């Protein structure tokens, strides 16, 4: 085993060195999860629920330490990290109600009775990215555990620390040995092995569309179930009849939150032509007011990018001749800093408006009328998230129904909640996480006919 040197993005210094897992460690983790599966699926539903509540309680007890660790390792503002760890706790609590509610059906048939059961899949492989490390892991782990599966979780090499803590906390909370295993190693080795492993029944992945495509191909060999949460290029559609001040005040955090490293980032701001000037005036005030700096400073609204590579990629979207309308601040010195940047006016054909940048760069694109707004918003390979701002309720309904997008909000940019489904249309993914729907992706339906 070589070592993973975990870097703190705000300082570009090593914060911890941990062993790097390889294919052998993945095989051992899968074997442990396979051995633990029969006993875990047989735990009485109420007892499984109690263990999950105990895990939520233990995570809550350690939430400040976990928040600080996540803030340092992922470079995210401490306030955001606290919000995320709060969501982690809430997610385990929400799914702790599921073991006793995994209902089947009875179906009227001739000559007897027909009933269905929702059975766990077995060992599930969960591959998560670096942008929301523990929270995205919880979206997968909690429904998987509730349904009676055992887990091998692979965090991103850039941000493995909170997942490794989770593995210990789960044992402290009473999860039996082998039920939740964490392997920290490269995707090209550990992720690939999980995808191809004959004893893994399902892969749940969050990350880039490119890697997701490879996972779908790799999983085909063993007909694994696959759910994919991939990239996005979401539109924030602002009609002239909207509350422009509210739309402009809310726009920066919807694209610069987490330094833009968010698959739901509303990175295309479509503004109806007659409202452009007023909207841009308000947007500039909001962007300039954003405090960019030390993630552990309570006032920070945006931290650094995750890595030197990400800094280079994001920079490539803002060449010297880019139409920069205005930018916010960014610290000098060590760390991977990039200022919040607004490009305007842009067209939907510009590279920055077509590709997922995963950095704090927003494109403002003017449009004329509802039809053009819908056409532009849908003119992308992605379909993850988005917003519609208008005071006209009928228009809001017409537009959200016409958008090829999985998760939308009206007069708000907030569309991710523990109790509601989350996932993408088109090349943004397959399947849904969170809410009642996630459980469908961690169970298979068994149909049984009883002759009477
Ligand atoms: P990746 O898609 O490469 O990484 C996501 C996860 O997949 C990580 O755990 C990674 O491991 C793992 N992985 C990488 N290659 C494989 C493989 N061949 N088989 C199985 N697992 C694999 O994202 P990046 O970190 O490279 O980010 C690149 C771009 O992806 C970003 O700029 C952004 O556009 C997009 N992205 C989208 C995310 C989203 O939330 N939808 C999240 C992250 C990125 P490891 O990193 O340890 O090698």
């Amino acid at each position: 085993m070589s070592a993973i040197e975990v870097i703190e993005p705000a300082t570009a210094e090593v914060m911890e060195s941990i062993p790097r897992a390889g294919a052998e460690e993945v095989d051992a983790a899968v074997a442990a999860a396979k051995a633990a599966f029969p006993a875990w699926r047989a735990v009485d539903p109420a007892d499984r629920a109690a263990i999950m509540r105990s895990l939520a309680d233990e995570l809550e007890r350690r939430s400040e330490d976990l928040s600080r660790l996540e803030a340092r390792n992922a470079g995210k503002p401490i306030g955001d990290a606290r919000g995320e760890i709060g969501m982690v706790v809430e997610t385990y609590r929400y799914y702790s109600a599921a073991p006793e509610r995994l209902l089947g059906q009875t179906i009227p048939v001739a000559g007897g009775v027909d009933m269905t059961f929702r059975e766990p899949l077995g060992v599930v492989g969960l591959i998560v990215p670096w942008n929301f490390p523990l929270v995205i892991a919880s979206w997968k782990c909690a429904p998987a555990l509730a349904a009676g599966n055992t887990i091998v979780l692979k965090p991103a090499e850039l941000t493995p620390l909170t997942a490794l803590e989770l593995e210990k906390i789960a044992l402290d909370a009473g999860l039996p040995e082998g039920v939740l295993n964490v392997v920290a190693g490269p995707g090209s080795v550990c992720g690939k092995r999980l995808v191809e492993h004959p004893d893994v029944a399902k892969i749940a992945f969050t990350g880039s569309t490119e890697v997701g495509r490879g996972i779908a191909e790799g999983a085909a060999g063993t007909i694994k179930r696959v759910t994919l949460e991939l990239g996005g290029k979401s539109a924030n559609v602002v009609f002239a009849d909207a509350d422009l001040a509210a739309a402009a005040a809310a726009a920066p955090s919807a694209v610069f939150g987490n330094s833009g490293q968010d698959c739901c980032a509303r990175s295309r701001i479509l503004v109806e032509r007659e409202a452009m000037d007023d909207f841009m005036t308000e947007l500039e005030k909001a962007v300039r007011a954003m405090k960019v700096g030390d993630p552990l400073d309570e006032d920070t609204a945006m931290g650094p990018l995750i890595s030197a590579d990400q800094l280079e990629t994001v920079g490539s979207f803002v060449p010297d001749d880019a139409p920069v309308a205005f930018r916010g601040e960014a610290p000098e010195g060590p760390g991977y800093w990039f200022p919040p940047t607004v490009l305007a006016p842009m067209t939907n054909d510009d590279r920055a408006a077509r590709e997922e940048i995963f950095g704090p760069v927003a494109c403002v694109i003017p449009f004329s009328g509802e039809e053009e707004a819908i056409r532009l918003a849908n003119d992308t390979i992605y379909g993850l998230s988005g917003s519609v701002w208008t005071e006209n309720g009928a228009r809001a309904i017409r537009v959200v129904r016409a958008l090829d997008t999985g998760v939308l909000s009206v007069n708000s940019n907030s569309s991710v909640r523990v109790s509601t489904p989350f996932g993408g249309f088109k090349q943004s993914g397959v399947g849904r996480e969170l809410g009642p729907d996630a459980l469908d992706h961690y169970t298979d339906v068994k149909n049984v006919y009883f002759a009477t």
Side-chain angles (χ1 to χ4, degrees), residues 127-132 136 154-158 185-193 195 205-212 214-215 229-232 261-264 310 313 356-358 382 384:
I127 302 175
V128 299
W130 42 261
N131 53 344
F132 299 99
I136 290 180
K154 196 209 88 63
E157 271 209 315
L158 291 168
S188 55
V189 178
C190 295
K192 188 167 181 290
R193 179 69 186 141
V195 170
F205 168 79
T206 299
S208 59
T209 294
E210 191 187 341
V211 171
I215 285 177
E229 296 295 344
L230 309 174
Q261 302 165 127
D262 180 349
C263 48
C264 289
Q310 197 67 13
T313 307
E356 182 175 52
I357 299 176
F358 235 57
Y382 298 112
L384 188 53

Side-chain angles (χ1 to χ4, degrees), residues 283-294:
L283 182 65
E284 180 165 3
K285 282 189 232 160
V287 171
R288 292 200 190 280
M290 276 190 94
K291 187 162 182 312
V292 181
D294 179 4

Side-chain angles (χ1 to χ4, degrees), residues 12-308:
E13 280 172 15
V14 175
M15 66 183 275
E16 217 170 307
S17 184
I18 59 165
R20 171 179 279 129
E24 256 174 54
E25 285 73 26
V26 172
D27 288 352
V30 172
K34 188 179 176 186
F37 175 60
W40 178 242
R41 79 180 298 184
V43 171
D44 285 344
D47 294 340
R48 200 154 69 228
I51 294 173
M52 289 194 61
R53 283 195 299 274
S54 152
L55 174 54
D57 292 346
E58 199 56 29
L59 285 161
E60 190 169 47
R61 205 174 63 72
R62 304 204 203 169
S63 60
E64 185 57 22
D65 289 347
L66 288 168
S67 302
R68 295 185 80 78
L69 193 60
E70 200 82 306
R72 286 185 62 203
N73 189 184
K76 59 179 74 222
I78 183 66
D80 292 1
R82 288 193 189 112
E84 285 174 31
I85 302 301
M87 190 186 203
V88 169
V89 171
E90 204 191 323
T91 304
Y92 286 101
R93 280 211 179 112
Y94 176 81
Y95 286 106
S96 74
E100 295 171 287
R101 292 169 177 78
L102 274 176
L103 307 179
Q105 293 178 304
T106 54
I107 302 171
V109 289
V113 64
D114 194 283
M115 61 184 81
T116 66
F117 298 90
R118 293 173 69 180
E119 305 289 10
L121 303 173
V123 179
V124 296
L126 312 180
I127 302 175
V128 299
W130 42 261
N131 53 344
F132 299 99
L134 200 61
V135 85
I136 290 180
S138 76
W139 297 358
K140 300 176 188 339
C141 288
L145 291 172
N149 301 281
T150 55
I151 291 172
V152 179
L153 167 66
K154 196 209 88 63
E157 271 209 315
L158 291 168
T159 55
L161 300 179
T162 48
L164 291 165
E165 285 303 303
L166 170 70
E167 190 181 40
K168 292 183 230 155
I169 291 170
L171 287 175
D172 293 348
L175 216 68
E177 194 99 34
V179 170
L180 197 170
N181 309 274
V182 176
V183 281
S188 55
V189 178
C190 295
K192 188 167 181 290
R193 179 69 186 141
L194 269 181
V195 170
E196 291 168 358
H197 202 298
D199 291 335
V200 174
K202 179 218 161 102
I203 295 287
F205 168 79
T206 299
S208 59
T209 294
E210 191 187 341
V211 171
R213 194 172 289 119
I215 285 177
E217 282 170 15
T222 44
I223 313 290
K224 281 186 179 53
R225 282 93 187 104
V226 176
T227 45
L228 303 170
E229 296 295 344
L230 309 174
K233 194 73 202 175
S234 299
N236 183 0
V237 184
V238 182
F239 286 95
D241 67 8
D243 178 340
L244 291 181
S253 59
V255 51
F256 303 139
N258 213 42
S259 307
Q261 302 165 127
D262 180 349
C263 48
C264 289
R266 273 90 164 149
S267 53
R268 290 184 299 147
I269 307 177
L270 310 189
V271 181
E272 199 160 20
R273 237 169 254 284
E274 59 257 46
M276 267 296 269
D277 289 348
D278 290 347
F279 181 83
M280 291 300 276
T281 304
E282 294 296 321
L283 182 65
E284 180 165 3
K285 282 189 232 160
V287 171
R288 292 200 190 280
M290 276 190 94
K291 187 162 182 312
V292 181
D294 179 4
L296 294 181
D297 182 335
E298 299 284 342
D299 297 330
T300 294
M302 195 185 108
L305 291 167
I306 189 71
S307 65

Side-chain angles (χ1 to χ4, degrees), residues 375-448:
R375 184 177 61 72
L376 290 174
N378 283 339
D379 180 19
T380 164
I381 60 166
Y382 298 112
L384 188 53
S385 193
S387 307
V388 177
W389 293 79
T390 173
E391 293 292 288
N392 178 335
R395 164 181 279 166
I397 299 279
R398 281 195 303 274
V399 175
V400 292
R401 292 303 305 273
L403 294 181
D404 302 328
T405 296
V407 194
L408 282 158
S409 49
V410 175
N411 295 333
S412 158
N413 295 323
S414 134
S415 50
V416 181
R417 289 177 181 75
V418 171
S419 57
T420 61
F422 172 72
F425 282 23
K426 303 195 286 188
Q427 294 191 33
S428 286
V430 177
R432 290 294 176 271
E433 302 200 293
L434 298 173
D437 299 60
L439 292 160
D440 293 344
H441 300 291
Y442 291 96
T443 50
D444 263 341
V445 174
K446 181 182 284 168
N447 179 49
V448 180

